[in-house]
Amino acid sequence: MRVEALGYVGVRAKDLGDWATYGPNLLGLQRVDKTRSSMAFRMDDRKQRIIVEADGGQGISVFGWEVADAAALDALAARLEAAGTKVARGVRALADERLVKDLIVLNDPLGNRLEIFHGAQTTTDRFVPGRAISGFRTGPLGLGHVVLNVESVGTIDKLMPFYRELLGFRLTDYYSHPFDAYFMHVNARHHSLALIRTGKNAVHHIMMEVFQFDDLGQGYDIALGEDGRVATTLGRHTSDFITSFYTWTPSGFMVEYGWGARAIDPATWQANERKAGPSMWGHDRSWLSPADAASSRKLRLQNAADGMREPVQVMEGNYQLMPGVCPWWTA
């Protein structure tokens, strides 16, 4: 009776036009028309993963977290109610709109709307990406991850027990420099949710992981060609080893677009503190203050001086072994 994956995300938009371009042309999502004021996007065999509503707003309106089945949903609802969290059963019309069998609706301690569901609808129709990409790494890992800005340590202290003790998230790792950050997992993805202290409460980004490295690089080329689109330059994280860049969405939050994230074993993983900062290299962040940007760069240069290296994470069928000899390495 715990959350197992990030299943879908609802996005607020001022209009659909920008998303109709950004979603397929840069991210490679498949557009699914819904109504005059909404559209959805596919990433895989699910009928929808990203739902965009043109309500004149910005940000993310809802996070859809998935559980195994009806029994797990009922048990989780009972646990939340016993802890004093107000829970509403989703009406049939909402379940039909979300293309799921059943769901409950609640808010986290910050007021973020959560819909916990089971039984997402799938289709045998082939996924047709908006641009020529190989596809997204989803399945039991969910659509990706979400990172939330939080205002203070006190805010983190409110959110951590809610997500860990009630929803079943587990701490993966954390660090305190150049800013406080906590990463939590619910499956083999290194983190499905993270909290970073930035002095405000808002959505920071969602992450999508593509199947092949060239999908990432070609997306970076497209983003570089759009003025102001890139929010964080190409780089590699110390946490999940993903190579990624970030872009600003038409709705005011970022999408991390990545490749090659490692998997962890939830049964044996031990939470730990990371000292190397968020990135091994790259990832210049346009949204950081000058002081934090300098601190982050200093950490990356120290990682380089220390010779920090991590294996490249690849999926079966997504690599070829090359010949070569490095006498220093083999010695």
Side-chain angles (χ1 to χ4, degrees):
M1 58 175 187
R2 62 180 184 83
V3 163
E4 294 190 346
L6 179 63
Y8 60 79
V9 170
V11 176
R12 303 182 67 195
K14 293 180 179 179
D15 62 68
L16 298 180
D18 289 341
W19 270 99
T21 301
Y22 172 77
N25 295 1
L26 198 159
L27 301 179
L29 301 171
Q30 178 182 346
R31 176 178 169 180
V32 181
D33 290 322
K34 291 176 71 69
T35 69
R36 292 179 60 185
S37 61
S38 67
M39 67 173 58
F41 294 101
R42 285 181 58 193
M43 299 175 69
D44 52 16
D45 63 343
R46 296 286 176 94
K47 288 187 175 181
Q48 61 184 19
R49 287 287 197 178
I50 310 293
I51 308 153
V52 182
E53 300 280 350
D55 62 0
Q58 284 193 311
I60 290 182
S61 58
V62 60
F63 300 101
W65 294 102
E66 188 167 5
V67 295
D69 50 32
L73 185 65
D74 291 342
L76 188 55
R79 183 163 68 193
L80 287 161
E81 288 176 330
T85 300
K86 185 178 179 181
V87 176
R89 180 67 64 169
V91 298
R92 185 69 259 157
L94 179 61
D96 291 343
E97 182 180 339
R98 300 295 193 239
L99 303 180
V100 301
K101 286 185 178 178
D102 198 8
L103 74 166
I104 58 174
V105 181
L106 60 143
N107 291 333
D108 74 8
L110 271 187
N112 295 305
R113 178 183 170 107
L114 311 183
E115 294 175 359
I116 302 175
F117 71 94
H118 79 93
Q121 293 184 26
T122 60
T123 177
T124 57
D125 294 341
R126 185 173 64 91
F127 168 65
V128 181
R131 66 176 178 90
I133 65 169
S134 306
F136 294 95
R137 187 177 178 221
T138 57
L141 300 178
L143 77 83
H145 70 232
V146 59
V147 175
L148 301 178
N149 291 298
V150 294
E151 184 177 15
S152 64
V153 173
T155 310
I156 293 175
D157 290 342
K158 291 180 182 177
L159 288 171
M160 292 288 282
F162 174 82
Y163 281 100
R164 295 181 66 188
E165 296 170 16
L166 298 182
L167 298 188
F169 286 73
R170 301 164 184 169
L171 184 64
T172 311
D173 54 32
Y174 59 96
Y175 58 80
S176 58
H177 190 63
F179 43 80
D180 294 315
Y182 294 83
F183 300 81
M184 292 174 279
H185 63 272
V186 291
N187 52 49
R189 196 181 288 283
H190 175 275
H191 57 285
S192 291
L193 174 66
L195 311 174
I196 62 173
R197 184 167 65 88
T198 60
K200 62 180 180 180
N201 295 325
V203 176
H204 187 272
H205 74 266
I206 60 173
M207 186 279 290
M208 303 174 183
E209 185 180 355
V210 288
F211 177 63
Q212 289 197 324
F213 188 53
D214 291 331
D215 298 336
L216 172 71
Q218 290 162 0
Y220 194 49
D221 272 349
I222 294 170
L224 288 171
E226 299 181 11
D227 187 41
R229 182 66 75 188
V230 174
T232 300
T233 61
L234 190 69
R236 195 177 187 210
H237 281 307
T238 60
S239 56
D240 53 4
F241 306 159
I242 198 169
T243 302
S244 65
F245 66 95
Y246 296 57
T247 58
W248 291 110
T249 71
S251 296
F253 61 90
M254 294 179 286
V255 165
E256 179 183 9
Y257 202 68
W259 171 85
R262 68 169 164 172
I264 65 170
D265 181 358
T268 60
W269 186 266
Q270 297 295 314
N272 61 91
E273 180 179 4
R274 279 190 279 129
K275 302 288 190 178
S279 300
M280 300 183 204
W281 53 267
H283 282 158
D284 279 320
R285 297 160 172 84
S286 64
W287 44 271
L288 279 181
S289 69
D292 284 346
S295 179
S296 180
R297 181 172 178 78
K298 183 178 179 181
L299 282 170
R300 298 199 309 270
L301 292 176
Q302 187 60 55
N303 291 339
D306 293 341
M308 185 177 186
R309 302 288 186 273
E310 296 294 348
V312 175
Q313 311 294 303
V314 294
M315 297 172 66
E316 191 67 39
N318 194 10
Y319 66 94
Q320 292 179 338
L321 293 178
M322 65 179 185
V325 175
C326 176
W328 177 86
W329 177 264
T330 54

